[in-house]
Amino acid sequence: MSRPSDYVDAGARPQQERPDDDIVQPKLGFTGTLRFIWRQLTSMRTALMLLLLLAIAAVPGSLVPQRSSDPNGVIQYFDDNPDLAPVLDSIQMFDVYGSVWFSSIYLLLFISLIGCVVPRTKHHFQAMRSRPPRTPARLQRLAAHTEITLEGGNAGSAIESAHALLKKSGYRTELYQGRNGDVSVSAERGYLRETGNLVFHSALVGMLLTVAIGGGLGYAGQRVIVEGQTFVNTLLDYNSFNPGRFYNPDDLAPYSLSLDNFDVTYEQKNLDAYGQPIDFTAHVTTRLPNGDTEERAIKVNDPLRFEGTDVFLLGNGYAPKVTVRDPDGTVVWTDSVPFLPQDGNLTSLGVIKIPDGLEEQIGMIGFLYPTAYELETGAYTSTYPDLVFPVLTLNVYSGDLGINDGAPKSVYELNVDDMTQLTGGETGVDSIELMPGQSQELPGGRGSITFENANPDAAASADENATTADFSGSVARFASFDVHRDPTQGWVLTFAILILGGLLTSLFIPRRRVWIKATDNVDGTVRVEYAGLARGEDPGLGEAVDAIAYRHGTALGLQR
Amino acid sequence: MDLNELSVLSLWSAMAMYMLAFIAFALDLARRSADVTAAANQLAAAGAHHNASLSSSLETAEVGRASGRPVTTLTRTDTDAPQVQARQSPVLRVALALTVLGFLLHLTAVVTRGVAAGRVPWANMYEFGLTGTLLIIAVYLVVLLRIDLRFLGTFITGLVLVLLGIAAVDFYVEIVPLPPALQSAWLVIHVFVASAGTAFFALGFALAVLQLVQHRREVGGADLSGLKLKFLATLPTAERLENLAYRTNIVGFILWTFTLMAGAIWAERAWGRYWGWDTKEVWTFIIWVIYAGYIHARATRGWRGSRSAWLAIIGFVAVMFNFSVVNLFFKGLHAYSGL
Ligand code: HEM
């Protein structure tokens, strides 16, 4: 089988069969050393060690946050463990799966794998073309052995029918004439077992290569879209964009995508889950340069596959629309600002920055409570995620927003180091507090701010006697999308199927040799022997040999 | 009483049955030990000099008689036969009947939970515990039809009892609808296959543990007698246990491979990438690699036998760790414990 020399079944081989056994001697020479290293690397023991090492090396990545999957967690970790974190960072603990040590383990493993699979494949091709081996002289030595004695008939015809039977059962067969006048058929089956094993291991290599290359050919980008807005698939329009090494952003498919509306359904019957979202649907319209438009829906678990890209719905929340006017009443700023949800009832946090148009730059940190409820402390909380009683509170700062030097700043963060707080906290001035449609003066006569109602019709049509106004739809929602392109996904799936198929074949197809030998006895009876030899794991061997004996007996006309 | 209350009631009844079954299985083991002692005394009384552990029973069987054409017989040596043949035992039959009864009640609990929730009953840790343990029992009972593993009854019912106890007491949650992230056909496939894989690994684990103990007894002889593990003499040899463990574990491994792939496909649909080294993904991968190591160990000279058994044990410990600690305490995208 040309398996590594420390393969369990290799023990039967005589030592002389390995011509390079002398390499254990002290003087190896250069090529000798290389040969020695190569043989060590492609041995079963090394493969096993590398596998176990791989398992161990994968553990730390689950204990410490990883930059790839949890970048904020890493920042948090640095804050929480200022002494430990740099040490861990120096040994790539925050990038375990791309680290030098993790990569070396799996690269070595795969080199070992290739070094193991190539000679085995060659060998397997030869084995498939060679004839089943000569029948052993003494079959009764084998573990699976049965014999019967026939009254009448002759050895030749018994073997003829045995031959036919084995052929029909999918065995490769060969007839042999023994020295003692016996005739026998030697049969082998289950070559697919080794084929499956080789397919499995080769597909692992294929999978690794595809994943390695695939990462470089595509890209991933993120974009937040507020209801009513349109996203154009160009580099500039992404909030963040991570191209693969070989990806050229000029190749972005030209299309645009509008978020028409974003529907959320909340559980209202089951009190154990009251307010739990049970459906998110983003209704979008796609547009191609030729003018084709189409309305589509994107859900969690149900992405939009469009123009070679996949668009996934990841997050959502509220994007209150705010307008700021200068003291003369001229609009200096108006926009819908995505606020990030902080809890299940969508208490949301957002930042508003007014760089121009007012005397001084203004920054605001705001909380939106979709269904506001005042706690005894006077603070608000949200008690339900939908817009029943929405309140927006804002703390106002004036000074330098720190965005003039052109360096990109997160739109979700406000650096207040160079700013003066004007409302809330210890200023003694009440925070700005607005419901949709309401306006308020900014402190110090700086102008005014309005919380726009996105759906004034609902409010207007509400019954005047109703205890609360209808605020449904008063604040637009936003959805965040991941746009991906990975042209190698089909290959990944293909290799996955080959891996699974190879595995099933190699673990469940038994490979075995079977011999049937017939000898004419002097008294005119015929002795027929059946024997089997497992090659690899084969729990059913004994049964199989018995079954063959039984069927052969039946074919010869035995009655039972 | 609504359906969910019925489910909870059936669950506790099932646990009661398993408890009784556990006791009966344990009694059976005690009886086996007694049998072994009796056999040893008999041997001593007969003045037999040969060591019982050397006896490999030689069985002769009539293979067939053809009318008119007499056929001679075959002989086969069964090296795997246990050293002492256990007697038929009524308590074992009772234990089995109780297990089956427990299984039926357990099945009722799972089905009613699913009907009450209007979806598959494996969407949070409580339900996953319920269904996973049901599969452990189901796999055990199905395997029993082909191979006599009744000696594993104490282990299987004991394990299931502990897991169910934890699930019912610590993980119980009321029925809530599926959050959008879990509304997928892949939930049905991925999680179910993972539970099935776990069930096979559990069986493989039990066999591997017994294999180790049996091996100790076979090589070390008497030093285990103090542990009252005499019943081991009525169990299959370490080699046979190893083969059984291997066969169970490779079925588990294939299911696990499928779990990994189905998970990747689901991750692609849900999060846009099929693999992202999320904690749960990491642990599923680690488990897969450990069992790949186990399969390799079986084919590596010097590693067959006890060393490979240890890998099977480590693998199952990792499976349990993945289900409990990783779910509850590790941060990641797979937040589905429902707690
Ligand atoms: C990425 C690393 C590897 C993985 C995940 C892996 C996994 C597996 C699995 C699951 C099996 C059992 C199924 C089958 O027979 O096809 C297996 C068998 C086998 N592997 Fe690997 N393998 C790896 C690397 C290697 C290497 C480097 C070698 C050579 C030194 C090797 C040699 C073998 C052999 C000879 C068998 C047959 C075992 C038997 O007869 O039971 N494998 N491997």
Side-chain angles (χ1 to χ4, degrees):
Chain A
M1 285 200 171
S2 185
R3 291 194 159 169
S5 55
D6 58 346
Y7 180 74
V8 264
D9 283 355
R13 277 194 234 164
Q15 290 289 307
Q16 314 78 289
E17 227 182 71
R18 292 154 38 190
D20 43 1
D21 246 10
D22 54 341
I23 51 167
V24 265
Q25 287 169 7
K27 283 240 169 88
L28 291 174
F30 182 63
T31 43
T33 315
L34 284 186
R35 269 254 230 52
F36 176 74
I37 292 176
W38 183 246
R39 274 187 28 145
Q40 290 303 308
L41 186 62
T42 57
S43 72
M44 289 298 281
R45 182 160 298 123
T46 308
L48 176 56
M49 286 305 143
L50 288 171
L51 272 172
L52 297 183
L53 243 129
L54 186 69
I56 294 168
V59 173
S62 71
L63 304 175
V64 178
Q66 298 295 298
R67 289 210 171 85
S68 56
S69 54
D70 185 13
N72 295 329
V74 177
I75 294 168
Q76 186 69 41
Y77 196 90
F78 267 84
D79 283 351
D80 296 346
N81 308 281
D83 298 327
L84 184 60
V87 180
L88 292 182
D89 201 19
S90 67
I91 50 170
Q92 297 178 296
M93 274 298 177
F94 300 108
D95 308 282
V96 167
Y97 306 105
S99 68
V100 176
W101 43 278
F102 191 77
S103 312
S104 349
I105 295 174
Y106 74 73
L107 287 179
L108 272 178
L109 181 58
F110 275 85
I111 292 170
S112 162
L113 178 57
I114 293 167
C116 182
V117 163
V118 170
R120 276 173 57 195
T121 312
K122 265 199 279 179
H123 212 89
H124 186 50
F125 271 114
Q126 284 162 7
M128 283 201 294
R129 272 176 287 141
S130 60
R131 307 161 55 187
R134 195 157 251 296
T135 311
R138 280 196 260 165
L139 288 179
Q140 63 271 29
R141 287 251 184 104
L142 297 171
H145 177 254
T146 300
E147 63 176 78
I148 60 177
T149 305
L150 301 172
E151 311 252 312
N154 63 54
S157 60
I159 286 308
E160 224 164 79
S161 77
H163 189 195
L165 173 78
L166 287 171
K167 266 211 138 108
K168 218 174 67 194
S169 318
Y171 282 82
R172 297 229 334 251
T173 55
E174 193 69 40
L175 291 171
Y176 287 104
Q177 186 87 46
R179 270 186 223 120
N180 313 325
D182 55 77
V183 279
S184 62
V185 53
S186 165
E188 180 153 3
R189 57 152 290 160
Y191 294 87
L192 262 181
R193 183 186 184 91
E194 182 76 351
T195 310
N197 181 298
L198 293 171
V199 166
F200 168 82
H201 285 89
S202 313
L204 284 180
V205 180
M207 176 71 95
L208 183 76
L209 288 178
T210 326
V211 171
I213 296 169
L217 290 176
Y219 69 85
Q222 288 77 38
R223 168 64 202 236
V224 169
I225 312 179
V226 180
E227 283 175 317
Q229 286 183 355
T230 297
F231 154 72
V232 183
N233 190 27
T234 56
L235 194 53
L236 274 181
D237 225 16
Y238 278 102
N239 297 125
S240 66
F241 190 80
N242 316 301
R245 208 167 303 155
F246 316 116
Y247 189 76
N248 179 358
D250 292 343
D251 297 341
L252 281 169
Y255 68 80
S256 73
L257 194 124
S258 313
L259 179 61
D260 303 326
N261 52 65
F262 188 82
D263 287 346
V264 187
T265 314
Y266 295 105
E267 176 64 46
Q268 290 182 312
K269 284 192 231 106
N270 183 343
L271 289 185
D272 293 317
Y274 194 73
Q276 181 194 307
I278 48 179
D279 184 58
F280 297 127
T281 306
H283 296 280
V284 299
T285 303
T286 56
R287 264 181 212 86
L288 288 172
N290 64 11
D292 283 356
T293 65
E294 209 178 332
E295 290 186 2
R296 307 281 287 266
I298 308 179
K299 285 170 173 270
V300 185
N301 277 316
D302 194 6
L304 168 69
R305 316 268 184 201
F306 189 61
E307 292 289 292
T309 64
D310 303 321
V311 185
F312 299 91
L313 172 61
L314 284 200
N316 69 85
Y318 290 107
K321 184 175 185 185
V322 170
T323 302
V324 174
R325 293 182 171 78
D326 67 11
D328 301 334
T330 316
V331 173
V332 296
W333 190 91
T334 180
D335 206 354
S336 296
V337 187
F339 273 40
L340 297 183
Q342 307 292 310
D343 61 27
N345 284 325
L346 287 173
T347 300
S348 307
L349 174 64
V351 162
I352 296 172
K353 297 176 186 177
I354 321 287
D356 309 304
L358 297 179
E359 213 170 286
E360 257 186 308
Q361 290 189 330
I362 294 281
M364 292 180 259
I365 299 178
F367 277 98
L368 175 76
Y369 307 93
T371 300
Y373 173 79
E374 195 169 349
L375 297 171
E376 280 174 17
T377 57
Y380 283 116
T381 184
S382 177
T383 53
Y384 189 70
D386 213 349
L387 298 164
V388 177
F389 192 76
V391 170
L392 174 68
T393 67
L394 295 156
N395 274 346
V396 185
Y397 296 80
S398 72
D400 183 4
L401 286 171
I403 57 178
N404 297 343
D405 58 4
K409 293 278 168 348
S410 166
V411 293
Y412 299 109
E413 272 170 48
L414 182 67
N415 184 347
V416 295
D417 291 349
D418 293 329
M419 306 194 85
T420 320
Q421 186 165 3
L422 302 179
T423 68
E426 289 166 7
T427 58
V429 183
D430 282 347
S431 295
I432 290 178
E433 212 178 289
L434 298 165
M435 292 193 70
Q438 292 180 344
S439 299
Q440 205 174 322
E441 295 289 311
L442 287 169
R446 284 174 168 81
S448 68
I449 179 166
T450 309
F451 179 11
E452 307 283 357
N453 189 337
N455 188 13
D457 299 346
S461 65
D463 183 358
E464 286 194 1
N465 298 327
T467 44
T468 54
D470 182 359
F471 286 105
S472 60
S474 59
V475 184
R477 288 179 185 262
F478 73 85
S480 58
F481 295 96
D482 254 28
V483 184
H484 288 218
R485 182 179 152 74
D486 181 356
T488 55
Q489 266 182 14
W491 286 104
V492 173
L493 186 64
T494 309
F495 283 121
I497 292 169
L498 285 177
I499 286 175
L500 199 62
L503 197 61
L504 284 166
T505 336
S506 96
L507 288 179
F508 291 133
I509 291 195
R511 179 157 188 198
R512 57 175 74 120
R513 289 187 178 149
V514 170
W515 292 279
I516 304 181
K517 187 194 282 188
T519 321
D520 286 316
N521 288 336
V522 279
D523 61 359
T525 57
V526 181
R527 174 174 174 229
V528 188
E529 289 174 85
Y530 306 86
L533 181 68
R535 310 204 57 197
E537 204 73 27
D538 187 0
L541 181 70
E543 270 172 47
V545 171
D546 286 350
I548 287 171
Y550 187 90
R551 283 168 58 205
H552 187 224
T554 310
L556 290 176
L558 276 187
Q559 290 152 24
R560 324 168 211 243
Chain B
M1 183 159 79
D2 71 14
L3 265 182
N4 187 41
E5 282 161 7
L6 181 66
S7 167
V8 173
L9 188 70
S10 315
L11 182 65
W12 285 99
S13 323
M15 285 165 70
M17 290 306 134
Y18 290 149
M19 174 63 98
L20 294 175
F22 175 81
I23 294 170
F25 277 123
L27 286 176
D28 172 61
L29 289 186
R31 185 196 53 86
R32 283 169 188 251
S33 290
D35 279 2
V36 173
T37 314
N41 291 343
Q42 238 173 24
L43 268 183
H49 287 300
H50 46 263
N51 185 339
S53 73
L54 291 176
S55 76
S56 53
S57 59
L58 203 67
E59 283 173 26
T60 309
E62 289 273 314
V63 104
R65 253 164 282 113
S67 61
R69 292 174 154 193
V71 173
T72 49
T73 59
L74 90 145
T75 56
R76 171 166 299 146
T77 317
D78 187 356
T79 46
D80 279 342
Q83 190 183 324
V84 177
Q85 204 66 46
R87 280 181 294 125
Q88 285 295 330
S89 124
V91 69
L92 195 53
R93 238 169 286 143
V94 170
L96 214 56
L98 285 168
T99 312
V100 172
L101 197 61
F103 172 76
L104 293 175
L105 286 163
H106 193 164
L107 182 68
T108 312
V110 170
V111 170
T112 46
R113 173 81 182 188
V115 173
R119 54 167 165 74
V120 289
W122 51 84
N124 51 50
M125 267 182 89
Y126 169 68
E127 295 173 4
F128 188 68
L130 232 61
T131 307
T133 47
L134 182 76
L135 282 172
I136 294 181
I137 299 279
V139 166
Y140 176 62
L141 290 176
V142 168
V143 172
L144 274 188
L145 295 177
R146 296 208 47 202
I147 307 168
D148 184 4
L149 295 182
R150 286 175 301 179
F151 53 87
L152 283 183
T154 28
F155 170 81
I156 295 292
T157 48
L159 175 77
V160 165
L161 207 51
V162 169
L163 291 178
L164 274 183
I166 295 173
V169 174
D170 295 327
F171 297 162
Y172 181 80
V173 286
E174 295 298 335
I175 290 174
V176 298
L178 282 186
L182 292 184
Q183 292 168 13
S184 166
W186 291 104
L187 168 75
V188 180
I189 301 166
H190 170 70
V191 182
F192 185 79
V193 176
S195 323
T198 304
F200 278 93
F201 284 151
L203 211 56
F205 165 78
L207 288 163
V209 171
L210 271 186
Q211 171 200 336
L212 282 180
V213 184
Q214 186 74 303
H215 178 73
R216 271 277 185 81
R217 194 186 65 93
E218 283 170 7
V219 297
D223 65 334
L224 283 171
S225 55
L227 288 171
K228 301 224 189 310
L229 291 176
K230 286 205 182 116
F231 65 83
L232 282 171
T234 67
L235 304 191
T237 58
E239 199 181 332
R240 167 116 178 111
L241 288 169
E242 174 176 354
N243 287 335
L244 289 173
Y246 179 74
R247 279 154 69 188
T248 342
N249 278 325
I250 58 174
V251 177
F253 181 75
I254 283 168
L255 294 170
W256 201 257
T257 308
F258 187 78
T259 304
L260 197 69
M261 292 176 177
I265 295 174
W266 187 10
E268 197 278 331
R269 280 191 81 79
W271 303 317
R273 86 288 184 290
Y274 47 80
W275 196 261
W277 296 109
D278 180 65
T279 41
K280 200 78 186 169
E281 290 168 355
V282 170
W283 276 93
T284 307
F285 172 78
I286 291 173
I287 290 162
W288 189 78
V289 174
I290 295 175
Y291 278 101
Y294 163 75
I295 293 173
H296 269 222
R298 283 260 311 166
T300 305
R301 214 183 304 138
W303 277 77
R304 217 189 176 96
S306 298
R307 285 203 196 172
S308 69
W310 275 111
L311 285 179
I313 291 169
I314 294 171
F316 186 67
V317 171
V319 169
M320 286 291 113
F321 183 80
N322 189 26
F323 172 62
S324 56
V325 179
V326 176
N327 274 5
L328 293 174
F329 301 111
F330 284 31
K331 196 178 146 198
L333 290 168
H334 288 76
Y336 63 77
S337 68
L339 300 174

